[in-house]
Amino acid sequence: MRVLSISGIFLVATTQIVAGNNLNLAEERAAAVQQAFQLSWDAYYEHAFPHDQLKPVSQGADDSYGGWGATALDALDTAILMNNQQVVDQILDYVPTINFRSSSQGTVSLFETTIRYLGGLLSAYDLLNGPFSHLINDTSRATTLLTQADELAQSLKIAFNSETGMPYNGIDVGNQAIQGDPTNSLATIGTLVLEWTRLSDLTGNPEYGNLSQKAAPYLFNPQPSWASPWPGLVPNNLNISTGEFISDAINWDGGSDSYYEYLIKAYIYSPSQFSSYRDTWEAAVNSTIANLLQNTTTSSGQNLAYISTWDNGTFSSSMGHLVSFIGGNFLLGGSVLQRQDIIDYGILLTDGWYAAYSSSATKIGPGALSWNATAAADAGQSDQYDQLGFYYTAPQYVLRPETLESYYYAYRITGDQKYRDWSWEAFVGINSTCWTGSGYAEINNVDDTNQGGGFNDLQDSFLLAEVWKYAYLIQTDDAVWQVGKNGTNQFVYNTEAHPIKVKGN
Ligand SMILES: *[C@@H]1O[C@H](CO)[C@@H](O)[C@H](O)[C@H]1NC(C)=O
Ligand SMILES: *[C@@H]1O[C@H](CO)[C@@H](O)[C@H](O)[C@H]1NC(C)=O
Ligand SMILES: *[C@@H]1O[C@H](CO)[C@@H](O)[C@H](O)[C@H]1NC(C)=O
Ligand SMILES: *[C@@H]1O[C@H](CO)[C@@H](O)[C@H](O)[C@H]1NC(C)=O
Ligand SMILES: *[C@@H]1O[C@H](CO)[C@@H](O)[C@H](O)[C@H]1NC(C)=O
Ligand SMILES: *[C@@H]1O[C@H](CO)[C@@H](O)[C@H](O)[C@H]1NC(C)=O
Ligand SMILES: *[C@@H]1O[C@H](CO)[C@@H](O)[C@H](O)[C@H]1NC(C)=O
Ligand SMILES: *[C@@H]1O[C@H](CO)[C@@H](O)[C@H](O)[C@H]1NC(C)=O
Ligand SMILES: *[C@@H]1O[C@H](CO)[C@@H](O)[C@H](O)[C@H]1NC(C)=O
């Protein structure tokens, strides 16, 4: 789940194609992604480190995630996977200096802190203790990552201090106080289990996993009864003190998305512990296919499939970019459960977002699209709708990873070269359109090749954690840290693309 923001400024962009002669195509592409990662890291390190994120246009710094260096922690495992010793060392030197017991910000988000920092620390620990141990000489370099993850969880765990055990999302870590709403969203409650359970398994302290699992019965047995019209699908907002649902919006968009994502990922992490999560995921996916999946047709007769939303009896034929991770999640779960039909729907949904990416002038997909003919006519977009089968309802691109993530799963699970080509096409578009001269920025309009119609002054940390990682890993060979072809996985990627070693491996 992420929050959207827009504004605009500009600078001159330069593009150049890397010419490689003796590398094969995939190696050449992987090297180009490594270069983009280095450019975004260098700009951050020079202008914004150890703040959370780079403002690439003004060359300033942003603190939105506690001010503990979100980009550094988000980038660490990407640098590890790329064998980038210099960047790994820069970040490992920094990690022991972070004080998670106080923050420059009054309120931090339990969810954001978990997926970026805890996920980043645990993933780096698992990789440096495992297949990337050659990147450290001294095992204390890795041990510190776990010590700091433990510190962070100690600092955050007050969030679970409620009648139901359901967490609050806003925490003042310095004063150890809950901030804000007595409600919480489905995604912010349901996207903790992987990281907190892994932390318990690595430290031997069962408290963390217990805390993150305690609210699950409220999500799996929804109350009141109107909350869940279809098995497995539930609304996006809850009352923390009662554990009851208090909205009737059902979708896979921000606020809900990674709850569904983690149901199957928790099962992959530990099948014996999380079989009820698997069952809920399968029910949710069955219900999604039966009720939310809709089709539209292009002018050339191609069928495209997308996921609609539902709110108290009303469907809306629209889909945000955030939801485009769903193809990859279906592919992953379908492969693990050996459900070829779910894999096939995952492919169909991934292909739907390729249609969106390939339709734009920059080859980057829009922030949201709709396949509602009436709404297209009302918006004066019937021409685009008639040709493409959809029209853009939000033209911006905010460096989001979800479509590249689905290409990644599609490639690993089907082995079809076209997904590598699609990922590369999107990478080239992002690399050239979003480049500011000093880091990469969000853009206002994917249909404008001239600096994307204007930059928004932010290089989100997930550009380094996710976009470059998925763009890189799809071009590299099978390995233990890659998603498995046949439903067997030694690592499972959290929602910020941090690979966590599955239990018992
Ligand atoms: C990516 O962008 C950088 C910065 O403009 C440029 O140096 C590099 O050549 C680009 N890579 C590709 C493959 O276009
Ligand atoms: C490990 O130590 C050797 C010898 O001191 C040094 O050459 C090498 O760069 C070090 N490697 C790492 C990953 O720190
Ligand atoms: C964790 O949960 C298990 C099972 O409910 C319980 O037996 C154990 O006491 C709990 N441990 C802690 C530290 O809360
Ligand atoms: C949550 O439930 C409590 C107890 O019934 C109630 O007092 C409170 O108003 C509810 N809050 C919201 C936001 O629904
Ligand atoms: C989902 O649908 C499949 C195929 O119809 C069925 O075999 C399976 O039992 C269903 N799973 C759940 C949890 O409803
Ligand atoms: C959409 O198309 C897919 C693939 O052809 C098909 O399986 C599905 O039943 C269709 N769904 C609807 C609602 O028409
Ligand atoms: C759903 O809509 C009906 C009217 O169509 C309204 O009476 C009801 O309160 C709504 N439900 C919720 C939970 O908002
Ligand atoms: C389609 O758009 C019309 C006009 O905005 C709206 O009334 C209708 O509810 C929409 N239907 C769907 C399924 O999105
Ligand atoms: C998948 O492949 C792995 C490694 O090649 C093998 O060990 C495993 O048995 C296979 N699993 C299934 C379900 O076919």
Side-chain angles (χ1 to χ4, degrees):
M1 186 203 71
R2 302 191 192 293
V3 182
L4 199 115
S5 62
I6 330 170
S7 83
I9 301 195
F10 47 87
L11 265 188
V12 178
T14 51
T15 359
Q16 201 186 349
I17 305 298
V18 171
N21 313 336
N22 33 22
L23 297 175
N24 75 35
L25 186 63
E27 283 174 344
E28 190 180 311
R29 290 170 170 182
V33 180
Q34 285 176 295
Q35 187 209 4
F37 172 80
Q38 186 76 52
L39 288 170
S40 35
W41 171 260
D42 287 346
Y44 162 75
Y45 197 64
E46 182 179 355
H47 301 294
F49 174 84
H51 292 282
D52 283 337
Q53 304 181 115
L54 170 70
K55 293 179 155 204
V57 178
S58 59
Q59 303 191 339
D62 162 80
D63 280 322
S64 298
Y65 301 111
W68 295 308
T71 296
L73 279 277
D74 249 359
L76 176 54
D77 60 359
T78 308
I80 292 171
L81 291 164
M82 291 177 172
N83 272 306
N84 188 326
Q85 183 75 58
Q86 188 197 9
V87 175
V88 169
D89 285 339
Q90 286 169 333
I91 301 171
L92 289 180
D93 287 345
Y94 165 64
V95 168
T97 71
I98 305 171
N99 178 8
F100 286 122
R101 302 295 184 139
S102 80
S103 167
S104 60
Q105 292 181 289
T107 306
V108 303
S109 157
L110 173 67
F111 166 80
E112 298 287 358
T113 309
T114 294
I115 66 170
R116 292 171 206 247
Y117 292 96
L118 203 50
L121 288 164
L122 293 171
S123 168
Y125 177 82
D126 277 336
L127 293 170
L128 292 174
N129 253 336
F132 290 85
S133 60
H134 57 274
L135 293 173
I136 49 170
N137 278 337
D138 178 352
T139 53
S140 73
R141 299 277 266 177
T143 311
T144 304
L145 297 165
L146 188 56
T147 312
Q148 285 288 49
D150 193 64
E151 272 290 299
L152 178 55
Q154 284 296 328
S155 184
L156 296 173
K157 71 178 187 184
I158 187 176
F160 295 93
N161 208 347
S162 70
E163 294 100 308
T164 53
M166 197 168 272
Y168 293 87
N169 193 48
I171 312 154
D172 174 349
V173 294
N175 293 309
Q176 284 294 291
I178 303 294
Q179 293 286 313
D181 278 358
T183 66
N184 203 351
S185 80
L186 181 64
T188 43
I189 296 164
T191 315
L192 308 166
V193 61
L194 199 55
E195 296 85 352
W196 288 69
T197 303
R198 181 64 181 157
L199 183 61
S200 273
D201 291 338
L202 288 174
T203 59
N205 179 353
E207 184 186 12
Y208 306 125
N210 278 15
L211 288 171
S212 70
Q213 293 160 31
K214 200 168 167 198
Y218 294 102
L219 310 180
F220 296 173
N221 310 294
Q223 293 296 328
S225 56
W226 55 254
S228 182
W230 307 294
L233 292 177
V234 287
N236 60 4
N237 207 13
L238 292 105
N239 183 329
I240 292 170
S241 60
T242 62
E244 293 194 342
F245 286 89
I246 51 169
S247 75
D248 40 19
I250 291 181
N251 57 64
W252 285 63
D253 213 332
S256 297
D257 47 8
S258 43
Y259 160 67
Y260 299 113
E261 176 187 346
Y262 270 33
L263 292 171
I264 194 67
K265 289 184 171 178
Y267 174 71
I268 293 167
Y269 176 70
S270 176
S272 61
Q273 248 173 304
F274 294 112
S275 61
S276 63
Y277 289 61
R278 173 204 60 204
D279 294 346
T280 308
W281 184 84
E282 195 181 19
V285 168
N286 282 358
S287 292
T288 298
I289 292 166
N291 299 288
L292 298 182
L293 188 138
Q294 297 182 354
N295 293 317
T296 187
T297 312
T298 68
S299 59
S300 60
Q302 188 195 352
N303 176 53
L304 300 175
Y306 297 103
I307 299 296
S308 63
T309 66
W310 186 88
D311 196 347
N312 197 7
T314 304
F315 289 94
S316 175
S317 297
S318 59
M319 184 171 180
H321 189 288
L322 282 173
V323 189
S324 69
F325 82 97
I326 196 171
N329 192 243
F330 276 30
L331 278 148
L332 174 67
S335 73
V336 169
L337 302 187
Q338 318 247 321
R339 286 269 310 267
Q340 187 60 43
D341 59 329
I342 296 180
I343 292 177
D344 291 342
Y345 280 112
I347 291 170
L348 194 62
L349 291 163
T350 303
D351 293 359
W353 272 83
Y354 177 64
Y357 268 61
S358 63
S359 71
S360 85
T362 61
K363 303 298 171 195
I364 307 170
L369 55 81
S370 164
W371 54 99
N372 180 333
T374 314
D378 291 350
Q381 299 288 343
S382 289
D383 288 350
Q384 193 182 35
Y385 171 81
D386 289 341
Q387 189 203 336
L388 300 176
F390 57 83
Y391 73 101
Y392 302 174
T393 54
Q396 64 270 56
Y397 174 68
V398 294
L399 303 177
R400 284 197 171 141
E402 295 79 19
T403 302
L404 286 166
E405 177 180 346
S406 284
Y407 296 164
Y408 171 70
Y409 284 98
Y411 175 72
R412 300 259 66 110
I413 286 159
T414 68
D416 189 333
Q417 170 67 26
K418 82 179 176 198
Y419 296 109
R420 279 183 159 175
D421 297 339
W422 292 0
S423 178
W424 175 249
E425 185 175 294
F427 166 77
V428 171
I430 296 164
N431 185 59
S432 63
T433 313
C434 303
W435 173 246
T436 65
S438 171
Y440 296 81
E442 302 177 345
I443 56 166
N444 291 330
N445 184 0
V446 296
D447 245 345
D448 189 340
T449 51
N450 184 15
Q451 301 175 354
F455 295 136
N456 177 31
D457 194 8
L458 191 62
Q459 176 178 283
D460 299 86
S461 72
F462 50 73
L463 176 73
L464 290 89
E466 304 190 67
V467 173
W468 299 151
K469 185 182 286 138
Y470 287 128
Y472 173 75
L473 288 178
I474 195 174
Q475 307 293 349
T476 56
D477 292 343
D478 288 346
V480 291
W481 54 87
Q482 299 269 27
V483 164
K485 265 189 180 27
N486 63 359
T488 306
N489 292 283
Q490 297 194 40
F491 282 79
V492 59
Y493 286 70
N494 90 338
T495 194
E496 192 78 358
H498 297 305
I500 294 190
K501 204 172 196 185
V502 310
K503 191 169 183 175
N505 261 284

